[in-house]
Amino acid sequence: MNSRIVEEAQARLKQSIMTYQQQPVGTVAAKEDVLEEEQLNYGHCFVRDFVPSGLAFLMQGEREIVRNFLEFTLALQSDRAGLKKGQGLFGEVRQHWQGKELLIDGIRLGEGLMPASFEVTSNQEIEPDFGQRAIGRVTPVDSGLWWIILLRAYEKACQIANRPEEKIAHRIEFQRGIQLILDICLSKRFDMTPTMLVPEAAFMIDRRMGVYGHPLEIQSLFHHALRAARYELLVNESYIEKREVDSRLPLLTKYIRERYWLDPKRVRAIYRYQTEEFGETALNKFNIYENSVPEWVLPWVDRKGGYLVGNLGVGWIDFRFFSQGNLLSIISGLATPEQSNSIMHLIELQWSKLMGNMPMKLCYPALEERDWESITGCDPKNVPWSYHNGGSWPVLLWSLTAAALKTKKIEIAERAIQQAEHYLLDDEWPEYYDGKNGDVIGREARLYQTWTIAGYLVAKYLIQDRDHLKLITFGDEPELGEE
Ligand code: GLC
């Protein structure tokens, strides 16, 4: 272990801890010394950003902060009927927050929604942000899914440490919290696919980037959360939800594995697609036109590479490679073992493009010129090869390492970590890097970004003790409906 960097990361992670009435409840997004007006919401604890922090704490054997975070955010969850009652930190926060019914432009929040982030002010006021304050007023669909995933990791950590008395998921308020999240995700909507339909920018990519509809990252989080919920839901308490999860999960899995998968064979099949097919037996269900396949795709996947595409809809395959969605699909088992190997093979093959100097590109390739103008709305933060639009995010080191361990390609993770270690400490743990090679610190990147620090630590801990992988993967038992 490169101990100096690890020690520094551990110390920084500790400094980022946020408290509520002297109890640790989360970590701030970034701990850079900036003027208050420049701070925006980087002093908040984001649910998605806390996941690598929480995993790092669990791997260090510190469960309290993760338990507190789960209780705290559960108490903030939109729950109109106010049926959730409970004790301890949950009870305190609930009491404090309850009654403040949140209306956004006169519309009540969807029941079950979890905030994107929350703030504890200097006089201990709690201020959650469900998107009503966020830049672009974006909906944090991923928060509830990450929350279930972290809850499962916490329960697993208690089991591994042989501390069943610390488990929380079976408490009545937690059961209701899971049910509310599932209800909002599984509810009937104007859609005909087993995937989840979401508005633009509903996850880590929280700016306009053409990621509305059925983006891969949301589908892989959805899949992971459904699998986790199957473990945590008590049958008697939530018979209906459990049944719905059981029927949705195999449909979702099959759909993604078949329709989002792209390898040379599939590209050739698309080239031969019939179009304008009417009727239930149509092969080209979404009426994809052959000349919508970008030129870079076929040579890029090479002969043995493959990946899950970014999105699928009417007349539309989003061919961009989104790293987080592909890596999470490997971790949760949404991708088959063969597909997982092909994705890792592709990462190796396209090392210079996907890793460059700093692992790892959030998506590849960047939107350029007219596409950038029309799809991002001329967003200057998302110019080509910057930020969400082809920028490099060191936080992805943790999911890359987990995926590499799961596919037994540990050398990929080791090489990526080593590369990152060249820069992270001297560069003061930036949020992201810019450029085709990821070799300059992002133009507007925060320094001392907590998930950069935590992502690195999780990657190191995973390599050090592969048993940690159990926190975020599932056993070998096949999913429902599979052979
Ligand atoms: C930016 C990122 C988002 C992250 C937040 C806090 O808004 O796009 O994914 O959660 O910063 O770090």
Side-chain angles (χ1 to χ4, degrees):
M1 250 209 199
N2 200 328
S3 55
R4 197 168 62 91
I5 310 181
V6 171
E7 277 163 27
E8 154 97 10
Q10 285 166 337
R12 294 271 170 202
L13 180 63
K14 238 187 195 156
Q15 285 163 22
S16 73
I17 291 176
M18 176 195 245
T19 60
Y20 173 68
Q21 304 192 342
Q22 276 108 47
Q23 304 178 74
V25 293
T27 50
V28 294
K31 190 86 183 157
E32 189 186 359
D33 280 337
V34 289
L35 297 173
E36 208 166 297
E37 57 272 23
E38 284 174 17
Q39 173 109 1
L40 301 172
N41 49 2
Y42 282 85
H44 287 210
C45 174
F46 282 73
V47 172
R48 72 175 74 87
D49 293 42
F50 184 76
V51 172
S53 296
L55 292 175
F57 287 124
L58 292 177
M59 292 175 189
Q60 290 171 1
E62 290 172 41
R63 291 182 292 282
E64 188 201 355
I65 182 170
V66 182
R67 183 172 60 244
N68 288 348
F69 168 86
L70 290 165
E71 289 203 26
F72 195 100
T73 41
L74 176 65
L76 298 177
Q77 183 186 35
S78 155
D79 177 6
R80 229 178 294 157
L83 287 180
K84 279 198 259 110
K85 302 260 179 312
Q87 318 251 308
L89 182 63
F90 169 83
E92 275 170 49
V93 177
R94 190 82 202 142
Q95 216 178 16
H96 193 105
W97 174 245
Q98 205 179 25
K100 293 194 191 168
E101 196 186 24
L102 204 63
L103 297 176
I104 302 183
D105 288 340
I107 299 287
R108 272 208 212 101
L109 272 188
E111 203 170 30
L113 196 68
M114 286 274 182
S117 67
F118 62 86
E119 178 184 17
V120 178
T121 65
S122 49
N123 50 359
Q124 299 292 289
E125 289 293 324
I126 301 166
E127 296 288 351
D129 182 7
F130 290 89
Q132 80 279 14
R133 295 199 282 163
I135 295 167
R137 302 291 178 269
V138 282
T139 318
V141 176
D142 63 337
S143 288
L145 303 171
W146 279 121
W147 184 88
I148 296 181
I149 294 167
L150 189 63
L151 175 64
R152 165 87 187 136
Y154 171 82
E155 297 287 291
K156 197 82 197 166
C158 295
Q159 185 193 322
I160 294 169
N162 201 13
R163 302 301 290 262
E165 71 283 5
E166 290 181 21
K167 287 194 168 191
I168 49 179
H170 288 178
R171 276 164 44 184
I172 181 121
E173 65 274 27
F174 277 85
Q175 289 292 305
R176 179 157 168 84
I178 303 172
Q179 284 167 25
L180 287 177
I181 296 170
L182 292 178
D183 288 350
I184 198 174
C185 293
L186 296 167
S187 61
K188 302 222 173 9
R189 65 249 128 94
F190 296 108
D191 201 11
M192 280 177 264
T193 62
T195 39
M196 197 159 118
L197 177 66
V198 297
E200 177 67 290
F203 54 104
M204 175 179 180
I205 297 181
D206 54 1
R207 302 170 83 90
R208 194 170 139 194
M209 268 283 287
V211 288
Y212 54 88
H214 305 90
L216 176 67
E217 182 168 329
I218 284 287
Q219 312 315 321
S220 55
L221 287 171
F222 185 33
H223 175 262
H224 198 136
L226 289 181
R227 285 196 83 177
R230 280 187 71 232
Y231 282 94
E232 305 308 341
L233 279 176
L234 292 167
V235 183
N236 295 345
E237 297 292 333
S238 43
Y239 176 65
I240 297 177
E241 281 83 3
K242 204 150 185 172
R243 230 181 35 188
E244 281 191 34
V245 171
D246 285 358
S247 66
R248 186 71 166 263
L249 201 44
L251 296 174
L252 172 69
T253 308
K254 185 165 183 286
Y255 185 89
I256 295 285
R257 288 176 177 180
E258 287 177 4
R259 301 193 181 245
Y260 278 58
W261 185 246
L262 197 90
D263 59 10
K265 201 167 144 213
R266 180 82 204 288
V267 178
R268 291 200 183 95
I270 296 173
Y271 284 148
R272 286 194 305 269
Y273 265 164
Q274 303 281 320
T275 53
E276 311 295 331
E277 291 175 285
F278 176 80
E280 278 153 38
T281 52
L283 283 180
N284 183 4
K285 291 220 175 356
F286 290 111
N287 204 29
I288 308 287
Y289 291 97
E290 168 238 319
N291 49 11
S292 68
V293 183
E295 271 172 25
W296 61 268
V297 171
L298 195 54
W300 200 71
V301 285
D302 199 60
R303 293 172 72 84
K304 282 204 245 138
Y307 66 102
L308 294 165
V309 294
N311 214 324
L312 180 66
V314 184
W316 181 38
I317 295 180
D318 182 344
F319 289 92
R320 284 175 290 173
F321 177 89
F322 286 86
S323 301
Q324 183 78 314
N326 272 281
L327 297 172
L328 293 173
S329 301
I330 296 177
I331 298 169
S332 76
L334 176 56
T336 64
E338 295 73 37
Q339 291 177 338
S340 302
N341 282 333
S342 301
I343 297 170
M344 294 311 283
H345 177 73
L346 183 70
I347 291 175
E348 257 185 310
L349 198 74
Q350 297 296 349
W351 195 271
S352 63
K353 303 226 164 63
L354 293 174
M355 302 294 181
N357 262 22
M358 175 54 68
M360 174 178 192
K361 287 260 160 53
L362 191 56
C363 79
Y364 178 89
L367 299 166
E368 298 187 273
E369 299 175 13
R370 185 77 195 114
D371 284 344
W372 167 75
E373 285 172 10
S374 59
I375 297 176
T376 74
C378 301
D379 184 346
K381 205 164 170 182
N382 271 337
V383 291
W385 309 106
S386 182
Y387 203 49
H388 301 141
N389 188 17
S392 302
W393 292 65
V395 60
L396 296 172
L397 272 179
W398 81 261
S399 26
L400 174 70
T401 304
L405 289 181
K406 178 123 195 256
T407 49
K408 304 208 168 30
K409 291 190 187 282
I410 184 172
E411 62 294 344
I412 293 188
E414 282 173 341
R415 187 173 159 199
I417 294 171
Q418 248 174 33
Q419 237 174 272
E421 279 174 339
H422 276 125
Y423 305 101
L424 285 180
L425 191 59
D426 287 346
D427 290 354
E428 302 176 276
W429 310 95
E431 180 185 16
Y432 67 99
Y433 286 72
D434 278 351
K436 266 191 179 169
N437 294 322
D439 43 17
V440 271
I441 298 178
R443 225 163 8 109
E444 294 188 42
R446 296 283 146 160
L447 300 181
Y448 300 106
Q449 180 82 15
T450 305
W451 69 358
T452 298
I453 297 167
Y456 167 73
L457 278 178
V458 173
K460 291 297 270 192
Y461 293 152
L462 279 167
I463 297 273
Q464 202 185 20
D465 179 356
R466 294 173 204 182
D467 262 5
H468 289 316
L469 194 59
K470 290 188 184 140
L471 300 178
I472 37 170
T473 51
F474 300 94
D476 287 333
E477 96 263 34
E479 273 184 35
L480 291 168
E482 291 173 46
E483 282 122 62

